[in-house]
Amino acid sequence: MIGETVTTTGQLFGTVLAVQANFYRVQLDPEDREKKSAHFPILLCTRRTRLKKIGQQVMVGDCVVVEEPDWAGGRGAIAEVLPRTGQLDRPAIANVNQIMLVFAVADPPLEPYQLSRFLVKAESTGWDVILCLNKSDLISAQEQQEISDRLLAWGYQPLFISVQNNLNIEEVVTHLSHKTTVIAGPSGVGKSSLINALIPDINLRVGEISGKLARGRHTTRHVELFELPDGGLLADTPGFNQPDLDYQPEELVHYFPEARKLLKVAHCRFSDCLHRDEPDCAVQGNWERYEHYVEFLDEAIARQTQLNQQADPESTLKLKTKGKGQSKYEPKLESKKYRRVARKTQLQALQDLYQDSEE
């Protein structure tokens, strides 16, 4: 019978590779693949209604339990999501081991501020950070050494590669082997070309470079995990130029390796020091990215202030009930400045004035 479903008593375990609408592409674990699904290592699954009722989200990278596999149709149902070791909300992905940032040293040129922003975002995840600098064949050995020395002062050992010339690609493979890695970076630096080199049959579309802006066009629109030939999973993320820095202001200093190094050998006078204007601060000093730190700190403080205002909407907003029982907050108006005096109040004032004139 076509589409016959074979129900197994044991559980199948797998990893969610992609989420598309209400379907999930799940790659079965190697043991289950060898024993039960040699011809269908990937199942297209739905989510059990029970998971939906309890609000259990299924993310790319989740380790899941699959039930009732239909081997003929390559389908199944996700019955359980195993505990996560960590997750990102943007992009939505779970159980990552490391982040690999890809930048170009030329065409487009390396921008220290943009690189610093990506590094801080990567550090905030708590995962290991690998920094790959592509198109290194376009710069001289001296320029490469200058960039290396600069980034070493930041606390990073960059890996210079060239996808075009197949330079140091094997070293990249070694870093990714048997790990789940998120690859990120701005558009136009060669991320898709690098993934094509790492996974030859993936056939990702490589974006063209906009000559006017010297930046890449957006080529990747969703998060998906790809299996590496030598083991491991690689997650591509949509290209973007300015990642959001969603952290607490007091956490920011720990996302700069050079600042962490300073705090290991000295202490600030105040325990709640933000390392900006406070006296006897151990972090304020002549390290290159301190200006970046101050700018990112101002951004974090502004974001925190906005969140606090949203958490207390009654301070500036009022709750107004609309039709069909729907409610929403609207800005409060200052009564004396904006609101017209009520007719009853006006009549009462005229009556009082008339009585005063009679007396």
Side-chain angles (χ1 to χ4, degrees):
M1 183 174 66
I2 298 177
E4 180 179 1
T5 300
V6 179
T7 303
T8 61
T9 55
Q11 291 179 324
L12 298 175
F13 296 89
T15 302
V16 178
L17 299 183
V19 178
Q20 299 171 339
N22 294 321
F23 294 93
Y24 308 87
R25 292 180 59 239
V26 178
Q27 179 188 66
L28 299 182
D29 287 352
E31 292 184 0
D32 289 330
R33 263 187 273 176
E34 294 174 3
K35 294 177 181 177
K36 305 169 184 176
S37 56
H39 300 293
F40 288 97
I42 296 178
L43 298 179
L44 185 63
C45 299
T46 56
R47 178 178 57 162
R48 288 294 193 199
T49 304
R50 180 182 64 82
L51 296 181
K52 185 176 181 180
K53 287 182 178 179
I54 65 176
Q56 175 64 65
Q57 182 186 13
V58 181
M59 301 173 62
V60 172
D62 270 334
C63 297
V64 297
V65 176
V66 178
E67 293 181 343
E68 298 183 4
D70 172 10
W71 299 122
R75 295 177 178 270
I78 296 176
E80 182 182 353
V81 178
L82 302 181
R84 297 167 180 153
T85 58
Q87 71 179 65
L88 278 178
D89 294 326
R90 295 185 63 186
I93 186 170
N95 302 321
V96 175
N97 300 119
Q98 59 189 6
I99 293 180
M100 183 172 70
L101 295 182
V102 180
F103 272 71
V105 292
D107 192 27
L110 186 64
E111 297 180 0
Y113 177 86
Q114 185 186 50
L115 174 58
S116 185
R117 193 177 183 92
F118 270 87
L119 287 170
V120 168
K121 178 64 176 181
E123 290 281 354
S124 70
T125 65
W127 297 324
D128 294 335
V129 180
I130 303 172
L131 177 57
C132 288
L133 299 181
N134 190 26
K135 306 183 184 180
S136 59
D137 56 302
L138 301 180
I139 62 175
S140 65
Q142 181 180 352
E143 290 174 314
Q144 181 172 315
Q145 187 60 51
E146 291 174 353
I147 293 174
S148 180
D149 292 343
R150 184 178 190 179
L151 294 179
L152 280 173
W154 289 15
Y156 299 96
Q157 176 70 61
L159 175 59
F160 290 91
I161 67 172
S162 172
V163 178
Q164 183 71 25
N165 294 350
N166 198 33
L167 176 64
N168 289 333
I169 301 302
E170 286 301 319
E171 191 170 346
V172 175
V173 172
T174 302
H175 281 88
L176 305 183
S177 179
H178 302 292
K179 294 182 179 179
T180 299
T181 307
V182 169
I183 182 171
S187 299
V189 298
K191 285 196 295 104
S192 295
S193 298
L194 176 58
I195 295 176
N196 284 331
L198 296 171
I199 313 173
D201 59 348
I202 199 172
N203 294 323
L204 283 182
R205 179 169 60 88
V206 178
E208 298 177 353
I209 297 294
S210 169
K212 181 178 180 181
L213 297 178
R215 297 182 184 275
R217 295 173 182 172
H218 188 101
T219 58
T220 309
R221 298 183 180 179
H222 64 277
V223 181
E224 185 171 357
L225 282 173
F226 302 101
E227 186 175 15
L228 294 163
D230 295 334
L233 295 170
L234 186 64
D236 192 17
T237 58
F240 53 95
N241 292 328
Q242 296 294 337
D244 294 332
L245 302 182
D246 48 353
Y247 44 70
Q248 299 293 327
E250 59 273 13
E251 299 173 350
L252 174 61
V253 70
H254 301 292
Y255 304 148
F256 287 83
E258 55 270 62
R260 294 199 301 262
K261 185 177 180 181
L262 292 171
L263 289 173
K264 283 184 179 180
V265 297
H267 298 281
C268 299
R269 178 195 293 184
F270 303 104
S271 59
D272 59 348
C273 183
L274 289 179
H275 320 290
R276 186 170 51 182
D277 301 317
E278 299 87 345
D280 298 329
C281 174
V283 171
Q284 293 178 28
N286 56 350
W287 49 288
E288 180 185 356
R289 289 203 296 166
Y290 180 69
E291 292 183 359
H292 295 173
Y293 168 79
V294 172
E295 187 166 340
F296 296 161
L297 179 64
D298 290 339
E299 183 177 333
I301 292 174
R303 176 181 176 276
Q304 188 63 45
T305 301
Q306 183 180 10
L307 290 177
N308 291 339
Q309 291 177 348
Q310 292 175 354
D312 184 20
E314 290 296 331
S315 59
T316 57
L317 304 176
K318 65 178 179 180
L319 185 62
K320 189 170 183 179
T321 303
K322 298 290 185 179
K324 299 181 180 180
Q326 297 180 349
S327 301
K328 72 174 185 177
Y329 283 101
E330 292 185 354
K332 285 184 178 180
L333 299 178
E334 297 181 22
S335 58
K336 292 183 179 179
K337 186 174 181 181
Y338 296 102
R339 290 184 178 177
R340 187 172 58 186
V341 180
R343 186 179 298 274
K344 182 177 180 180
T345 303
Q346 290 178 331
L347 292 175
Q348 183 64 47
L350 288 174
Q351 185 176 2
D352 293 341
L353 180 62
Y354 178 75
Q355 292 177 349
D356 291 341
S357 62
E358 285 187 338
E359 293 177 356

